[in-house]
Amino acid sequence: MTPATAPRLRPTLAHVAGETPTSFVSRLAQLHLSCEPNARYFCADMGLSFGDLVKGRPEALAALADLSGADPAKLASEAFRHVGEGYVFRGELFPGQSLLRTALRFCPACLLDDCSKSSRPETVAHGRAIWSIVSIRTCPRHGMGIVEIERPICPSKAHDFAHLLKPLLPDLE
């Protein structure tokens, strides 16, 4: 396992176990951008490829780890790596139809737990990798059903968890 490096970005946030790299960069965008804080703008400003993070490309994950100080091995272990017609996650192949990565899916209780730790909930509420797996319909921690927001999501906002979640935070309960 490779240890975390000193971050080049200050301030930074901690990458949380179970969090997707796209959620992590989305939270960093909420921390650093005041006007239209979204992951694609943040990545463009930082010289990262958001599309490559979505695809779990090792060089993009390494660049994000270098920028943020996150442990590159842990960041990579939470990535869905695009291969052929599907994705590999934690050594298991998932055909594309078994994942729902562009919709907003979450356990409200998990997010309420996250938000209770900060005065800026948009920087702590994070997307869990398992929420992207269609067959997982119940939170293993809370026994609560996974909520899926069924409104159309603009393709340019897909995978930008903190940006999509921010307007919903006041109504989580």
Side-chain angles (χ1 to χ4, degrees):
M1 180 181 326
T2 308
T5 59
R8 292 186 300 126
L9 183 67
R10 295 196 197 280
T12 192
L13 298 169
H15 172 251
V16 183
E19 179 181 24
T20 64
T22 53
S23 169
F24 180 51
V25 80
S26 182
R27 291 189 307 116
L28 288 169
Q30 293 297 315
L31 179 65
H32 286 280
L33 299 178
S34 57
C35 182
E36 188 59 32
N38 73 59
R40 281 178 174 72
Y41 288 162
F42 178 79
C43 285
D45 286 349
M46 297 293 120
L48 301 171
S49 167
F50 188 69
D52 286 351
L53 289 172
V54 169
K55 293 177 182 174
R57 294 208 169 122
E59 62 280 359
L61 297 170
L64 176 59
D66 181 54
L67 176 70
S68 66
D71 182 316
K74 288 181 181 174
L75 198 59
S77 74
E78 303 299 348
F80 288 88
R81 189 172 43 85
H82 186 257
V83 291
E85 297 295 315
Y87 288 84
V88 172
F89 177 65
R90 297 182 183 166
E92 188 169 339
L93 178 62
F94 287 88
Q97 69 271 17
S98 65
L99 300 176
L100 189 52
R101 299 183 62 217
T102 56
L104 189 59
R105 296 183 82 220
F106 56 88
C107 166
C110 284
L111 295 180
L112 285 169
D113 287 350
D114 294 348
C115 294
S116 70
K117 302 170 190 167
S118 176
S119 62
R120 293 202 52 203
E122 69 276 9
T123 66
V124 295
H126 59 280
R128 278 66 164 176
I130 64 166
W131 294 343
S132 298
I133 302 169
V134 173
S135 60
I136 296 179
R137 297 174 187 258
T138 305
C139 174
R141 181 171 176 202
H142 296 103
M144 178 179 281
I146 300 295
V147 173
E148 183 177 320
I149 302 299
E150 296 190 22
R151 62 186 170 156
I153 295 175
C154 173
S156 69
K157 306 291 186 227
H159 307 285
D160 197 345
F161 187 82
H163 181 76
L164 292 169
L165 182 67
K166 189 175 181 176
L168 304 176
L169 287 172
D171 299 321
L172 272 181
E173 289 189 44

